Amino acid sequence: MPTDRPSAVRTPAIRRALTAAAIAVAAVLASCAEPPPVVTPPPPPPVVSLSPKVIEQAAAYRRYVAAATAISPTFADGEQVAQGLRVGAGYEPGQLLRGAIAYGAVVALQDPGFVAGVQSYGVDPEQRRTVAYEIMKDPAYVIGMQGSAGAAGLVMAALGEDGRKLLEQGKAIRQAAYDVQRAAWSKKEVASRAARLTLAKELSTTPLLGDEAETARLHQAVTQRGLLSITGQTASPPYTPVVVRSMAVAALAALGYATDASLEQVMPILADPGAASCLNMSKLNLYQCLAVSKPHYEDVFCLGVHTLMDTGRCVMRSAGVPEPPEPAKLTAAVAPAPGKAKTATR
């Protein structure tokens, strides 16, 4: 009589067979399903970079500001006056303006919100290229970018402070035009007056090189936020062309379009006819002043007013920063124009 034992013996084998079949069926079904989508991470933003040639312009500008604001208003002889004039006259207007805008670009890159706002357009290479083209075509395009108000405030603060320092140092030297007249040497006529004027004109057309240490610091500041330790308030438009152009160059640097490869498109942005006209007029006033100046104290006047004060005013105006009001006691104490009088009274 048959029993159930054979079936009990075969049960584990049957189960194994069924399990293998189920696995095979599952594998077939899985092979028919669509593969999971591949998620491609967005490309990283471009590295912020600025052509060394642009940074060199910024360093040359900073060198002039540092040297000019270090001219002491305490003069002991005519040679010190002459040396002060050599330093004060030692900039070419076009280069100084390019340097101011280039320095403004480095300053704008100190604002992390601005850099992040610009680079939000840089995820897609085609979009980045389009935005860079729009900025090159019209630098004012940058005003609509996120963070531009903060960057503009930094540029205005940095350039405005440079201009203020030049202006204040010029006022101190203008005051020295009175004080120095107590010394007999200051009333003597300057020797080789024509050569002195010629030298001032030569220095005004000679490019200035940046200090090596400052150049290295500005290179580092392009990629290191906050290195320059400049603070400023957010500023609403309208901005001056110099401020706009500074931000435009900074935006191109954040998009990867301000390297040597794009220099032909970047360099024209480092110019502004209005600011250039102001600096050129400052030079013309200096030449006219030196042409009629005879005693040393009148050269001190030319140095204070037409090399430092006029230049400082130009830099402040280019940044959109108002000139501080002059105290009443100084307003009345204007030295006589060179060639008009031999002495001055307060």
Side-chain angles (χ1 to χ4, degrees):
M1 182 177 181
T3 65
D4 293 336
R5 187 168 181 79
S7 298
V9 171
R10 291 196 300 270
T11 298
I14 294 174
R15 288 177 178 173
R16 286 195 295 272
L18 291 175
T19 300
I23 293 174
V25 171
V28 171
L29 293 175
S31 65
C32 296
E34 293 184 3
V38 178
V39 179
T40 303
V47 176
V48 180
S49 55
L50 190 58
S51 167
K53 295 180 181 179
V54 176
I55 296 175
E56 172 59 32
Q57 295 292 315
Y61 161 80
R62 293 294 297 158
R63 180 176 182 178
Y64 174 77
V65 172
T69 54
I71 300 173
S72 173
T74 304
F75 300 101
D77 53 39
E79 176 53 34
Q80 288 188 1
V81 177
Q83 176 59 25
L85 277 170
R86 286 193 289 269
V87 173
Y91 74 84
E92 191 276 314
Q95 185 192 27
L96 190 74
L97 177 58
R98 289 192 298 273
I101 296 174
Y103 178 61
V106 178
V107 170
L109 289 172
Q110 297 295 286
D111 190 319
F114 176 67
V115 173
V118 173
Q119 289 194 327
S120 66
Y121 296 94
V123 175
D124 176 66
E126 184 60 35
Q127 183 186 34
R128 183 168 74 249
R129 188 162 42 248
T130 300
V131 171
Y133 171 76
E134 293 297 333
I135 295 172
M136 292 173 181
K137 185 171 65 173
D138 180 11
Y141 186 88
V142 75
I143 297 176
M145 293 185 167
Q146 182 180 350
S148 61
L154 287 182
V155 176
M156 292 171 66
L159 297 184
E161 179 63 10
D162 286 344
R164 186 195 65 78
K165 288 179 179 179
L166 289 166
L167 178 64
E168 293 303 319
Q169 196 70 6
K171 288 179 179 180
I173 292 175
R174 181 186 64 181
Q175 180 62 43
Y178 301 104
D179 300 336
V180 78
Q181 292 179 58
R182 299 188 182 99
W185 65 264
S186 71
K187 300 176 184 179
K188 295 180 180 179
E189 186 168 320
V190 176
S192 304
R193 292 174 51 237
R196 168 179 85 340
L197 175 58
T198 299
L199 178 60
K201 292 181 178 180
E202 289 176 355
L203 291 171
S204 298
T205 58
T206 303
L208 188 65
L209 297 177
D211 176 75
E212 185 176 338
E214 179 66 5
T215 303
R217 189 174 79 102
L218 294 177
H219 269 288
Q220 187 178 0
V222 169
T223 55
Q224 186 172 335
R225 310 291 159 254
L227 179 65
L228 299 184
S229 301
I230 296 172
T231 59
Q233 301 294 324
T234 57
S236 301
Y239 309 122
T240 65
V242 166
V243 174
V244 171
R245 290 170 179 273
S246 294
M247 291 194 296
V249 175
L252 291 174
L255 293 170
Y257 278 90
T259 62
D260 285 344
S262 303
L263 201 59
E264 185 176 349
Q265 290 75 38
V266 173
M267 290 304 290
I269 302 177
L270 303 178
D272 171 58
S277 176
C278 184
L279 291 170
N280 286 329
M281 182 59 67
S282 174
K283 287 291 187 180
L284 180 60
N285 289 337
L286 173 62
Y287 302 154
Q288 292 177 340
C289 188
L290 292 177
V292 298
S293 175
K294 293 181 179 179
H296 291 292
Y297 74 81
E298 289 184 345
D299 272 15
V300 175
F301 177 87
C302 297
L303 169 61
V305 175
H306 297 305
T307 57
L308 299 184
M309 290 180 64
D310 283 359
T311 302
R313 287 189 176 108
C314 289
V315 174
M316 294 185 73
R317 289 171 187 169
S318 72
V321 176
E323 179 183 342
E326 193 166 341
K329 64 178 181 179
L330 292 180
T331 302
V334 178
K340 297 297 184 180
K342 294 297 182 182
T343 61
T345 57
R346 301 187 205 191

